[in-house]
Amino acid sequence: MIDFIGGIGLALLIFGIGSVLSVVVTAKFIDAHLRALIVFMLAIGGLSMILLLMFGGAAGISHIAFFLWGVAFGPVVTMYQTAVTKQVKDGVAVATSVQSSIFNFSIMISTWIGGLLLTRFPETGVTAIVYVSLTAFALATIIAFFAKGTLRAS
């Protein structure tokens, strides 16, 4: 179980601060370094899950983990939409609409899975969510890393 000192409200605040800061920083570099940003953000997300698993509710470390999780998650939509626009010559509006819909659908499915884990396994559900998240971050990082050369220049 992960006990966060300060409660869920503080965790969400720290996550939000990380998200906002990463969006601002990403906006500056997204055009020139899109693939590297995607790989970096996904790796940071994985690192945040590792910190949560290794240190659980340790004061300070779990707060850093939530901040890093926010850093990783904040610019994801923007990065993926930018990647889509670099891949499509015609029908960019349709392509970004489809990407946005798929992203929202994935959020719906993942919250459903998270809810199932929490209700079916009340003692270990949070830890299971972190393991599932770590697996997703690891797979996405590997895929993004080996996808070099697929993003054409603007």
Side-chain angles (χ1 to χ4, degrees):
M1 182 76 172
I2 298 169
D3 292 321
F4 190 84
I5 296 171
I8 193 68
L10 180 59
L12 291 172
L13 176 65
I14 291 170
F15 179 94
I17 290 169
S19 292
V20 169
L21 289 176
S22 69
V23 167
V24 171
V25 171
T26 298
K28 182 173 174 81
F29 300 105
I30 197 166
D31 286 329
H33 305 287
L34 176 60
R35 188 179 146 278
L37 278 171
I38 291 171
V39 171
F40 183 69
M41 294 300 178
L42 292 170
I44 287 176
L47 174 62
S48 69
M49 295 301 117
I50 290 170
L51 289 174
L52 287 172
L53 287 171
M54 290 179 64
F55 299 101
I61 296 176
S62 59
H63 296 78
I64 290 169
F66 267 83
F67 177 79
L68 291 175
W69 190 6
V71 166
F73 188 76
V76 167
V77 171
T78 305
M79 291 186 305
Y80 290 162
Q81 280 195 332
T82 302
V84 166
T85 61
K86 288 180 180 263
Q87 296 295 310
V88 176
K89 290 182 182 179
D90 298 320
V92 173
V94 172
T96 57
S97 296
V98 170
Q99 182 276 330
S100 180
S101 296
I102 290 171
F103 186 83
N104 288 328
F105 184 71
S106 71
I107 295 295
M108 181 195 73
I109 296 297
S110 59
T111 55
W112 174 68
I113 291 169
L116 284 176
L117 289 171
L118 290 173
T119 55
R120 304 275 169 117
F121 308 103
E123 297 298 317
T124 59
V126 171
T127 304
I129 290 170
V130 175
Y131 275 113
V132 170
S133 298
L134 176 58
T135 302
F137 275 122
L139 289 172
T141 302
I142 291 166
I143 291 167
F145 181 79
F146 287 109
K148 64 183 172 182
T150 60
L151 293 178
R152 64 178 172 80
S154 331

